[in-house]
Coordinates of all heavy atoms in Angstrom, one line a residue:
M3 N 6.5 17.1 -20.9 CA 5.9 17.1 -19.6 C 7.0 17.0 -18.5 O 8.0 16.3 -18.7 CB 5.0 15.8 -19.5 CG 3.8 15.8 -20.4 SD 2.3 15.7 -19.5 CE 1.2 16.1 -20.8
G4 N 6.7 17.6 -17.4 CA 7.7 17.7 -16.3 C 7.4 16.7 -15.3 O 6.4 15.9 -15.3
V5 N 8.3 16.7 -14.3 CA 8.2 15.8 -13.1 C 7.3 16.5 -12.1 O 7.5 17.7 -11.8 CB 9.5 15.5 -12.5 CG1 9.4 14.7 -11.2 CG2 10.4 14.7 -13.5
I6 N 6.3 15.7 -11.6 CA 5.4 16.2 -10.5 C 5.4 15.2 -9.4 O 5.8 14.1 -9.5 CB 4.0 16.5 -11.0 CG1 3.3 15.2 -11.5 CG2 4.0 17.5 -12.2 CD1 1.8 15.4 -11.7
A7 N 4.8 15.6 -8.2 CA 4.6 14.7 -7.1 C 3.2 15.0 -6.5 O 2.8 16.1 -6.5 CB 5.7 15.0 -6.0
R8 N 2.6 13.9 -6.1 CA 1.3 14.0 -5.5 C 1.2 13.1 -4.2 O 1.8 12.1 -4.1 CB 0.2 13.4 -6.5 CG 0.0 14.2 -7.7 CD -0.9 15.4 -7.5 NE -1.0 16.3 -8.6 CZ -1.7 16.1 -9.7 NH1 -2.4 15.1 -9.9 NH2 -1.6 17.0 -10.7
H9 N 0.5 13.6 -3.3 CA 0.2 12.9 -2.0 C -1.2 12.4 -2.2 O -2.1 13.2 -2.4 CB 0.3 13.8 -0.8 CG 0.0 13.2 0.5 ND1 -1.2 13.4 1.1 CD2 0.7 12.3 1.2 CE1 -1.3 12.7 2.2 NE2 -0.1 12.0 2.3
L10 N -1.4 11.1 -2.0 CA -2.8 10.5 -2.1 C -3.2 9.8 -0.8 O -2.4 9.1 -0.2 CB -2.7 9.4 -3.2 CG -2.2 9.8 -4.6 CD1 -2.1 8.6 -5.5 CD2 -3.0 10.9 -5.2
M11 N -4.4 10.0 -0.4 CA -5.1 9.3 0.7 C -6.2 8.5 0.0 O -7.1 9.1 -0.5 CB -5.6 10.3 1.7 CG -4.5 11.0 2.5 SD -3.4 9.9 3.4 CE -4.4 9.3 4.6
I12 N -6.1 7.2 0.1 CA -7.0 6.3 -0.6 C -7.9 5.7 0.5 O -7.4 5.0 1.4 CB -6.2 5.3 -1.4 CG1 -5.3 6.0 -2.4 CG2 -7.2 4.3 -2.2 CD1 -4.3 5.2 -3.1
M13 N -9.2 5.9 0.3 CA -10.1 5.4 1.3 C -11.1 4.3 0.7 O -11.3 4.3 -0.5 CB -11.0 6.5 1.9 CG -10.4 7.3 3.0 SD -9.1 8.5 2.5 CE -9.9 9.7 1.6
G14 N -11.6 3.5 1.6 CA -12.5 2.4 1.2 C -12.0 1.1 1.7 O -11.3 1.1 2.8
R15 N -12.3 0.0 1.1 CA -11.7 -1.3 1.5 C -10.4 -1.5 0.7 O -10.4 -2.0 -0.4 CB -12.7 -2.4 1.1 CG -12.3 -3.8 1.5 CD -13.4 -4.8 1.3 NE -12.9 -6.1 1.7 CZ -12.7 -7.1 0.8 NH1 -13.0 -7.0 -0.4 NH2 -12.2 -8.2 1.3
V16 N -9.4 -1.0 1.3 CA -8.1 -0.9 0.7 C -6.9 -1.6 1.5 O -5.8 -1.6 1.1 CB -7.7 0.5 0.3 CG1 -8.6 1.0 -0.8 CG2 -7.7 1.5 1.5
Q17 N -7.3 -2.1 2.7 CA -6.3 -2.9 3.4 C -6.7 -4.3 3.5 O -7.9 -4.6 3.5 CB -6.2 -2.3 4.8 CG -5.5 -0.9 4.9 CD -5.1 -0.5 6.3 OE1 -5.1 -1.3 7.2 NE2 -4.9 0.8 6.4
G18 N -5.7 -5.2 3.5 CA -6.0 -6.6 3.4 C -6.4 -7.1 2.1 O -6.9 -8.3 2.0
V19 N -6.2 -6.3 1.0 CA -6.6 -6.7 -0.3 C -5.4 -6.6 -1.3 O -5.6 -6.5 -2.5 CB -7.8 -5.9 -0.8 CG1 -9.0 -6.2 0.0 CG2 -7.5 -4.4 -0.8
F20 N -4.2 -6.5 -0.7 CA -2.9 -6.4 -1.5 C -2.8 -5.1 -2.2 O -2.1 -5.0 -3.3 CB -2.8 -7.6 -2.5 CG -2.7 -8.9 -1.8 CD1 -3.8 -9.7 -1.8 CD2 -1.6 -9.3 -1.2 CE1 -3.8 -10.9 -1.1 CE2 -1.5 -10.6 -0.5 CZ -2.7 -11.4 -0.5
Y21 N -3.4 -4.0 -1.7 CA -3.3 -2.7 -2.3 C -1.9 -2.2 -2.4 O -1.5 -1.6 -3.4 CB -4.3 -1.7 -1.6 CG -4.7 -0.6 -2.5 CD1 -5.9 -0.6 -3.2 CD2 -3.8 0.5 -2.7 CE1 -6.2 0.4 -4.1 CE2 -4.2 1.5 -3.6 CZ -5.4 1.5 -4.3 OH -5.7 2.5 -5.1
R22 N -1.2 -2.4 -1.3 CA 0.2 -1.9 -1.3 C 1.1 -2.6 -2.3 O 1.9 -2.0 -3.0 CB 0.9 -2.0 0.1 CG 0.3 -1.0 1.1 CD 1.0 -1.1 2.5 NE 0.8 -2.5 2.9 CZ 1.6 -3.1 3.8 NH1 2.7 -2.5 4.3 NH2 1.4 -4.3 4.2
N23 N 0.9 -3.9 -2.4 CA 1.7 -4.7 -3.5 C 1.3 -4.2 -4.9 O 2.1 -4.0 -5.7 CB 1.4 -6.2 -3.3 CG 2.1 -6.8 -2.1 OD1 3.0 -6.2 -1.5 ND2 1.7 -8.0 -1.8
W24 N 0.0 -4.0 -5.1 CA -0.5 -3.5 -6.4 C 0.1 -2.2 -6.7 O 0.5 -1.9 -7.8 CB -2.1 -3.4 -6.4 CG -2.6 -2.8 -7.6 CD1 -2.9 -3.5 -8.8 CD2 -2.8 -1.4 -7.9 NE1 -3.4 -2.6 -9.7 CE2 -3.3 -1.3 -9.2 CE3 -2.7 -0.3 -7.1 CZ2 -3.6 -0.1 -9.8 CZ3 -3.0 0.9 -7.7 CH2 -3.5 1.0 -9.0
T25 N 0.1 -1.3 -5.7 CA 0.7 0.1 -5.8 C 2.1 0.0 -6.2 O 2.6 0.7 -7.2 CB 0.5 0.9 -4.5 OG1 -0.9 1.0 -4.2 CG2 1.2 2.2 -4.6
T26 N 2.9 -0.9 -5.5 CA 4.3 -1.0 -5.8 C 4.5 -1.5 -7.3 O 5.4 -1.0 -8.0 CB 5.0 -1.9 -4.8 OG1 4.8 -1.4 -3.5 CG2 6.5 -2.1 -5.1
E27 N 3.8 -2.5 -7.7 CA 3.9 -3.1 -9.0 C 3.5 -2.0 -10.1 O 4.2 -1.9 -11.1 CB 3.1 -4.3 -9.2 CG 3.6 -5.5 -8.3 CD 2.7 -6.7 -8.3 OE1 1.7 -6.7 -9.1 OE2 2.9 -7.6 -7.5
T28 N 2.4 -1.4 -9.8 CA 1.9 -0.4 -10.8 C 2.9 0.8 -11.0 O 3.1 1.2 -12.1 CB 0.5 0.1 -10.4 OG1 -0.4 -1.1 -10.3 CG2 -0.1 1.1 -11.4
A29 N 3.4 1.3 -9.8 CA 4.3 2.4 -9.9 C 5.6 2.0 -10.6 O 6.1 2.7 -11.5 CB 4.7 2.8 -8.5
S30 N 6.0 0.8 -10.4 CA 7.2 0.3 -11.1 C 7.0 0.2 -12.6 O 7.8 0.6 -13.4 CB 7.6 -1.1 -10.6 OG 8.7 -1.6 -11.3
T31 N 5.8 -0.3 -13.0 CA 5.4 -0.4 -14.4 C 5.4 0.9 -15.1 O 5.9 1.1 -16.2 CB 4.1 -1.1 -14.6 OG1 4.2 -2.4 -14.0 CG2 3.6 -1.2 -16.0
L32 N 4.9 1.9 -14.4 CA 4.8 3.3 -14.9 C 6.1 4.1 -14.7 O 6.2 5.3 -15.1 CB 3.6 4.0 -14.3 CG 2.3 3.4 -14.6 CD1 1.2 4.1 -13.8 CD2 2.0 3.6 -16.1
R33 N 7.1 3.5 -14.1 CA 8.4 4.1 -13.9 C 8.3 5.3 -12.9 O 8.9 6.4 -13.2 CB 9.1 4.5 -15.1 CG 9.5 3.3 -16.0 CD 10.2 3.6 -17.2 NE 10.5 2.4 -17.9 CZ 11.1 2.3 -19.0 NH1 11.6 3.4 -19.6 NH2 11.4 1.1 -19.6
L34 N 7.5 5.1 -11.9 CA 7.3 6.2 -10.9 C 8.0 5.9 -9.6 O 8.3 4.7 -9.3 CB 5.8 6.3 -10.6 CG 4.9 6.8 -11.8 CD1 3.5 6.6 -11.5 CD2 5.3 8.2 -12.2
N35 N 8.3 6.9 -8.8 CA 9.0 6.7 -7.6 C 8.1 7.2 -6.4 O 7.2 7.9 -6.7 CB 10.3 7.5 -7.6 CG 11.3 7.0 -8.6 OD1 11.5 5.8 -8.7 ND2 11.8 7.9 -9.4
G36 N 8.4 6.8 -5.2 CA 7.7 7.2 -4.1 C 7.6 6.2 -3.0 O 8.4 5.3 -2.9
W37 N 6.4 6.2 -2.3 CA 6.2 5.2 -1.3 C 4.7 5.0 -1.0 O 3.9 5.8 -1.4 CB 7.0 5.6 0.0 CG 6.7 6.9 0.5 CD1 7.5 8.1 0.3 CD2 5.6 7.4 1.4 NE1 6.9 9.2 0.9 CE2 5.8 8.8 1.6 CE3 4.5 6.7 2.0 CZ2 4.9 9.5 2.4 CZ3 3.6 7.5 2.7 CH2 3.9 8.8 3.0
V38 N 4.4 3.9 -0.3 CA 3.0 3.6 0.1 C 3.1 3.0 1.5 O 4.0 2.3 1.9 CB 2.4 2.5 -0.9 CG1 3.2 1.2 -1.0 CG2 1.0 2.3 -0.6
R39 N 2.0 3.3 2.3 CA 1.9 2.7 3.6 C 0.4 2.6 4.0 O -0.4 3.4 3.6 CB 2.7 3.4 4.6 CG 2.2 4.8 5.0 CD 3.0 5.4 6.0 NE 2.8 6.9 6.1 CZ 3.6 7.7 6.7 NH1 4.7 7.3 7.3 NH2 3.3 9.0 6.7
N40 N 0.1 1.6 4.8 CA -1.2 1.6 5.4 C -1.3 2.6 6.6 O -0.3 2.9 7.2 CB -1.5 0.2 6.0 CG -1.8 -0.8 5.0 OD1 -2.2 -0.5 3.8 ND2 -1.6 -2.1 5.3
R41 N -2.5 3.1 6.8 CA -2.7 4.0 7.9 C -3.6 3.3 9.0 O -4.4 2.5 8.6 CB -3.4 5.3 7.4 CG -2.7 6.1 6.4 CD -1.6 7.0 6.9 NE -2.3 7.9 7.9 CZ -1.8 9.1 8.2 NH1 -0.8 9.5 7.6 NH2 -2.5 9.8 9.1
M42 N -3.4 3.7 10.2 CA -4.2 3.1 11.3 C -5.7 3.3 11.1 O -6.5 2.5 11.6 CB -3.7 3.7 12.6 CG -2.3 3.3 13.0 SD -2.0 1.6 13.1 CE -2.7 1.2 14.7
D43 N -6.1 4.3 10.4 CA -7.5 4.6 10.2 C -8.1 3.7 9.0 O -9.3 3.8 8.7 CB -7.8 6.0 9.9 CG -7.2 6.5 8.6 OD1 -6.6 5.7 7.8 OD2 -7.3 7.7 8.3
G44 N -7.3 2.8 8.5 CA -7.9 1.9 7.4 C -7.6 2.4 6.0 O -7.9 1.7 5.0
S45 N -7.0 3.6 5.8 CA -6.7 4.1 4.5 C -5.3 3.7 4.1 O -4.6 3.1 4.9 CB -6.9 5.6 4.5 OG -5.9 6.2 5.3
V46 N -5.0 4.0 2.8 CA -3.7 3.8 2.3 C -3.2 5.1 1.9 O -3.9 5.9 1.2 CB -3.7 2.8 1.1 CG1 -2.3 2.7 0.4 CG2 -4.1 1.4 1.6
E47 N -1.9 5.4 2.2 CA -1.3 6.7 1.9 C -0.2 6.5 0.9 O 0.6 5.5 1.0 CB -0.7 7.3 3.2 CG 0.0 8.7 3.0 CD 0.5 9.2 4.3 OE1 0.6 8.5 5.3 OE2 0.7 10.5 4.3
V48 N -0.1 7.3 -0.1 CA 0.9 7.2 -1.2 C 1.5 8.5 -1.5 O 0.8 9.5 -1.6 CB 0.2 6.6 -2.5 CG1 1.2 6.5 -3.6 CG2 -0.5 5.3 -2.2
V49 N 2.8 8.6 -1.7 CA 3.4 9.7 -2.4 C 4.0 9.1 -3.7 O 4.7 8.1 -3.7 CB 4.5 10.3 -1.5 CG1 5.4 11.3 -2.3 CG2 3.9 11.0 -0.3
I50 N 3.6 9.8 -4.8 CA 4.0 9.3 -6.1 C 4.6 10.4 -6.9 O 4.2 11.6 -6.8 CB 2.7 8.7 -6.8 CG1 3.1 7.9 -8.0 CG2 1.7 9.8 -7.2 CD1 3.4 6.4 -7.6
E51 N 5.7 10.1 -7.5 CA 6.5 11.2 -8.2 C 7.0 10.7 -9.5 O 7.5 9.5 -9.6 CB 7.7 11.5 -7.2 CG 8.6 12.6 -7.7 CD 9.7 12.9 -6.6 OE1 9.3 13.5 -5.6 OE2 10.8 12.6 -6.9
G52 N 7.0 11.5 -10.5 CA 7.5 11.2 -11.8 C 6.9 12.0 -12.9 O 6.3 13.1 -12.6
D53 N 6.9 11.5 -14.1 CA 6.4 12.2 -15.3 C 4.9 12.5 -15.0 O 4.1 11.6 -14.6 CB 6.6 11.3 -16.5 CG 5.9 11.9 -17.7 OD1 6.5 12.9 -18.3 OD2 4.8 11.5 -18.1
E54 N 4.5 13.7 -15.3 CA 3.1 14.1 -15.1 C 2.0 13.2 -15.7 O 1.1 12.8 -15.0 CB 2.8 15.5 -15.6 CG 1.5 16.1 -15.3 CD 1.3 17.5 -15.8 OE1 2.2 18.1 -16.3 OE2 0.2 18.0 -15.6
E55 N 2.2 12.7 -16.9 CA 1.3 11.9 -17.6 C 1.2 10.5 -16.8 O 0.1 10.0 -16.6 CB 1.7 11.6 -19.0 CG 0.7 10.8 -19.8 CD 1.1 10.7 -21.3 OE1 1.5 11.8 -21.9 OE2 1.0 9.6 -21.8
A56 N 2.4 10.0 -16.4 CA 2.4 8.7 -15.7 C 1.7 8.8 -14.3 O 1.0 7.9 -13.9 CB 3.8 8.2 -15.6
V57 N 2.0 9.9 -13.6 CA 1.3 10.1 -12.3 C -0.2 10.2 -12.5 O -0.9 9.6 -11.7 CB 1.9 11.4 -11.6 CG1 1.0 11.8 -10.4 CG2 3.3 11.3 -11.3
E58 N -0.7 10.9 -13.5 CA -2.1 11.0 -13.7 C -2.7 9.6 -14.1 O -3.8 9.3 -13.7 CB -2.4 12.0 -14.8 CG -2.1 13.4 -14.4 CD -2.8 13.9 -13.1 OE1 -3.9 13.4 -12.8 OE2 -2.3 14.8 -12.4
Q59 N -1.9 8.8 -14.9 CA -2.4 7.5 -15.2 C -2.4 6.6 -14.0 O -3.4 5.9 -13.8 CB -1.4 6.9 -16.2 CG -1.9 5.5 -16.7 CD -1.0 4.9 -17.8 OE1 0.0 5.5 -18.2 NE2 -1.3 3.7 -18.2
F60 N -1.4 6.7 -13.1 CA -1.4 6.0 -11.8 C -2.7 6.3 -11.0 O -3.4 5.4 -10.5 CB -0.2 6.2 -11.0 CG -0.2 5.6 -9.7 CD1 0.2 4.3 -9.5 CD2 -0.8 6.2 -8.6 CE1 0.2 3.6 -8.3 CE2 -0.8 5.6 -7.3 CZ -0.4 4.3 -7.2
I61 N -3.0 7.6 -10.9 CA -4.2 8.0 -10.1 C -5.4 7.4 -10.7 O -6.3 6.9 -9.9 CB -4.2 9.5 -9.9 CG1 -3.0 10.0 -9.1 CG2 -5.5 10.0 -9.3 CD1 -2.8 11.5 -9.1
A62 N -5.6 7.5 -12.0 CA -6.8 6.9 -12.6 C -6.9 5.4 -12.3 O -7.9 4.9 -12.0 CB -6.7 7.1 -14.1
L63 N -5.8 4.7 -12.4 CA -5.8 3.2 -12.1 C -6.0 3.0 -10.6 O -6.7 2.0 -10.3 CB -4.4 2.6 -12.5 CG -4.1 2.6 -14.0 CD1 -2.7 2.2 -14.2 CD2 -5.1 1.6 -14.7
A64 N -5.6 3.9 -9.7 CA -5.7 3.7 -8.3 C -7.2 3.7 -7.9 O -7.5 3.1 -6.8 CB -4.9 4.7 -7.6
H65 N -8.0 4.3 -8.7 CA -9.5 4.3 -8.3 C -10.1 2.9 -8.4 O -11.0 2.6 -7.7 CB -10.2 5.3 -9.3 CG -10.1 6.7 -8.9 ND1 -10.8 7.3 -7.9 CD2 -9.2 7.7 -9.4 CE1 -10.4 8.6 -7.8 NE2 -9.5 8.8 -8.7
Q66 N -9.4 2.0 -9.2 CA -9.8 0.6 -9.3 C -9.0 -0.2 -8.3 O -9.5 -1.0 -7.5 CB -9.7 0.1 -10.7 CG -10.2 -1.3 -10.9 CD -11.7 -1.4 -10.7 OE1 -12.4 -0.5 -11.1 NE2 -12.2 -2.5 -10.2
G67 N -7.7 -0.1 -8.4 CA -6.8 -0.9 -7.5 C -6.8 -2.3 -7.9 O -7.3 -2.7 -8.9
P68 N -6.4 -3.2 -6.9 CA -6.5 -4.6 -7.2 C -7.9 -5.1 -7.2 O -8.8 -4.4 -6.7 CB -5.6 -5.2 -6.0 CG -5.7 -4.2 -4.9 CD -5.8 -2.8 -5.6
R69 N -8.1 -6.3 -7.6 CA -9.4 -6.9 -7.8 C -10.3 -6.8 -6.6 O -11.5 -6.5 -6.6 CB -9.3 -8.3 -8.3 CG -10.6 -8.9 -8.7 CD -10.6 -10.3 -9.2 NE -9.2 -10.8 -9.4 CZ -8.9 -11.8 -10.2 NH1 -9.8 -12.5 -10.8 NH2 -7.6 -12.1 -10.4
A70 N -9.8 -7.1 -5.4 CA -10.6 -7.2 -4.2 C -10.8 -5.8 -3.5 O -11.6 -5.7 -2.6 CB -9.9 -8.1 -3.1
A71 N -10.1 -4.8 -4.0 CA -10.3 -3.5 -3.4 C -11.6 -2.8 -3.8 O -12.2 -3.1 -4.8 CB -9.2 -2.5 -3.8
Q72 N -12.1 -2.0 -2.9 CA -13.3 -1.2 -3.1 C -12.9 0.3 -2.7 O -13.1 0.7 -1.6 CB -14.5 -1.7 -2.4 CG -14.9 -3.1 -2.8 CD -16.0 -3.6 -1.9 OE1 -16.5 -3.0 -1.0 NE2 -16.5 -4.8 -2.3
V73 N -12.4 1.0 -3.7 CA -12.0 2.4 -3.4 C -13.2 3.3 -3.4 O -14.0 3.4 -4.3 CB -11.0 2.9 -4.5 CG1 -10.6 4.3 -4.3 CG2 -9.8 1.9 -4.5
A74 N -13.4 4.0 -2.3 CA -14.5 4.9 -2.1 C -14.1 6.3 -2.5 O -14.9 7.0 -3.1 CB -15.0 4.9 -0.6
R75 N -12.9 6.7 -2.2 CA -12.5 8.1 -2.5 C -10.9 8.1 -2.5 O -10.3 7.4 -1.8 CB -13.0 9.0 -1.5 CG -12.8 10.4 -1.7 CD -13.5 11.3 -0.7 NE -12.6 11.6 0.5 CZ -12.9 11.3 1.7 NH1 -14.0 10.7 2.1 NH2 -12.0 11.6 2.7
I76 N -10.4 9.0 -3.3 CA -9.0 9.4 -3.3 C -8.9 10.9 -3.2 O -9.3 11.6 -4.0 CB -8.2 8.9 -4.6 CG1 -8.3 7.4 -4.7 CG2 -6.8 9.4 -4.5 CD1 -7.6 6.8 -5.9
D77 N -8.2 11.3 -2.1 CA -7.9 12.7 -1.9 C -6.5 12.9 -2.4 O -5.6 12.2 -2.0 CB -8.0 13.1 -0.4 CG -9.4 13.1 0.1 OD1 -10.4 13.1 -0.7 OD2 -9.6 13.0 1.3
S78 N -6.3 13.8 -3.3 CA -5.0 14.1 -4.0 C -4.6 15.5 -3.8 O -5.4 16.4 -3.9 CB -5.1 13.8 -5.5 OG -4.0 14.1 -6.2
S79 N -3.3 15.7 -3.4 CA -2.8 17.1 -3.3 C -1.4 17.1 -3.9 O -0.6 16.1 -3.8 CB -2.8 17.6 -1.9 OG -2.0 16.7 -1.1
D80 N -1.0 18.2 -4.5 CA 0.3 18.4 -5.0 C 1.3 18.6 -3.8 O 0.9 19.2 -2.8 CB 0.4 19.7 -5.8 CG -0.4 19.6 -7.1 OD1 -0.6 18.5 -7.6 OD2 -0.9 20.7 -7.6
V81 N 2.5 18.0 -4.0 CA 3.5 18.1 -3.0 C 4.8 18.4 -3.7 O 4.9 18.2 -5.0 CB 3.7 16.9 -2.1 CG1 2.5 16.7 -1.2 CG2 4.0 15.6 -2.9
A82 N 5.8 18.9 -3.0 CA 7.1 19.2 -3.6 C 7.8 18.0 -4.1 O 7.8 16.9 -3.5 CB 8.0 19.9 -2.6
V83 N 8.4 18.1 -5.3 CA 9.2 17.0 -5.9 C 10.4 16.9 -5.0 O 11.1 17.8 -4.7 CB 9.6 17.3 -7.3 CG1 10.5 16.3 -7.9 CG2 8.3 17.4 -8.2
E84 N 10.7 15.6 -4.6 CA 11.9 15.4 -3.7 C 13.0 14.7 -4.5 O 14.1 14.6 -3.9 CB 11.5 14.4 -2.5 CG 10.5 15.1 -1.6 CD 10.1 14.1 -0.5 OE1 11.0 13.4 0.0 OE2 8.9 14.1 -0.1
G85 N 12.8 14.3 -5.7 CA 13.9 13.6 -6.4 C 14.0 12.2 -6.0 O 15.2 11.7 -6.0
L86 N 12.9 11.5 -5.6 CA 13.0 10.1 -5.2 C 13.5 9.2 -6.3 O 13.2 9.5 -7.5 CB 11.6 9.7 -4.7 CG 11.0 10.5 -3.5 CD1 9.6 10.2 -3.3 CD2 11.8 10.3 -2.3
T87 N 14.2 8.2 -5.9 CA 14.8 7.3 -7.0 C 14.3 5.9 -7.0 O 14.8 5.0 -7.7 CB 16.3 7.3 -6.8 OG1 16.7 6.8 -5.5 CG2 16.9 8.7 -7.0
S88 N 13.3 5.6 -6.1 CA 12.8 4.2 -6.1 C 11.4 4.3 -5.5 O 10.9 5.4 -5.1 CB 13.6 3.3 -5.2 OG 13.6 3.8 -3.8
F89 N 10.7 3.1 -5.4 CA 9.4 3.1 -4.8 C 9.4 2.0 -3.8 O 9.9 0.9 -4.0 CB 8.3 2.7 -5.9 CG 6.9 3.0 -5.4 CD1 6.3 4.3 -5.6 CD2 6.2 2.1 -4.6 CE1 5.1 4.6 -5.1 CE2 5.0 2.4 -4.1 CZ 4.4 3.6 -4.3
C90 N 8.9 2.3 -2.6 CA 9.0 1.3 -1.5 C 7.7 1.3 -0.6 O 6.9 2.2 -0.7 CB 10.2 1.6 -0.6 SG 10.1 3.2 0.3
K91 N 7.6 0.3 0.2 CA 6.5 0.2 1.2 C 7.1 0.7 2.5 O 8.2 0.3 2.8 CB 6.1 -1.3 1.3 CG 5.3 -1.8 0.2 CD 4.8 -3.2 0.6 CE 5.0 -4.2 -0.5 NZ 4.6 -5.5 -0.2
R92 N 6.3 1.4 3.2 CA 6.7 1.9 4.5 C 5.8 1.3 5.6 O 4.7 0.8 5.3 CB 6.6 3.5 4.6 CG 7.6 4.2 3.8 CD 7.6 5.7 4.1 NE 8.6 6.4 3.4 CZ 8.8 7.7 3.4 NH1 7.9 8.4 4.1 NH2 9.8 8.2 2.8
P93 N 6.3 1.3 6.8 CA 5.5 0.7 7.9 C 4.2 1.5 8.1 O 4.1 2.7 7.8 CB 6.4 0.8 9.1 CG 7.8 1.0 8.6 CD 7.6 1.7 7.3
T94 N 3.2 0.8 8.7 CA 1.9 1.4 9.0 C 2.1 2.6 9.9 O 3.0 2.5 10.8 CB 1.0 0.4 9.7 OG1 0.8 -0.7 8.7 CG2 -0.3 1.0 10.1
Y95 N 1.4 3.6 9.7 CA 1.5 4.8 10.5 C 0.1 5.2 11.1 O -0.9 5.2 10.5 CB 1.9 6.0 9.5 CG 2.0 7.3 10.2 CD1 3.0 7.6 11.0 CD2 1.0 8.3 10.0 CE1 3.2 8.8 11.7 CE2 1.1 9.5 10.6 CZ 2.2 9.8 11.5 OH 2.3 11.0 12.1

């Protein structure tokens, strides 16, 4: 399997429920790179990059998220692999 990258827009009750921390921990566990940030519209934005199987596993887990989250929808699109080497939280956009 090769390295892929996905851009995710996660909608629902996903702010104020530790979704960014959950994302960072889950990405680390799956050995994925990228970033996460809250959006002013209440969504969470993620760019995730790594082994295709691990990225798909992350997306499946993201539909649940942390215990207090209520994910309504995840919009996913392929993006170019940037060769990211870590996972970080970015400021709200």
Side-chain angles (χ1 to χ4, degrees):
M3 298 238 165
V5 173
I6 66 167
R8 295 276 170 81
H9 177 259
L10 309 175
M11 293 298 292
I12 303 166
M13 277 74 68
R15 184 172 176 246
V16 291
Q17 288 190 17
V19 295
F20 300 101
Y21 203 97
R22 289 181 304 153
N23 288 344
W24 176 89
T25 298
T26 302
E27 291 171 11
T28 302
S30 176
T31 299
L32 294 172
R33 297 183 179 182
L34 296 168
N35 299 310
W37 52 265
V38 59
R39 68 179 166 197
N40 285 340
R41 301 279 302 209
M42 296 298 286
D43 65 3
S45 66
V46 170
E47 182 177 18
V48 178
V49 169
I50 196 87
E51 183 175 289
D53 176 76
E54 183 177 1
E55 186 175 316
V57 168
E58 294 302 330
Q59 183 177 2
F60 175 87
I61 294 169
L63 293 169
H65 283 278
Q66 184 68 35
R69 186 179 350 200
Q72 295 175 356
V73 177
R75 185 175 92 235
I76 297 178
D77 293 340
S78 174
S79 59
D80 294 332
V81 293
V83 173
E84 296 180 36
L86 301 170
T87 59
S88 65
F89 197 93
C90 65
K91 288 187 229 177
R92 289 190 174 176
T94 298
Y95 178 75

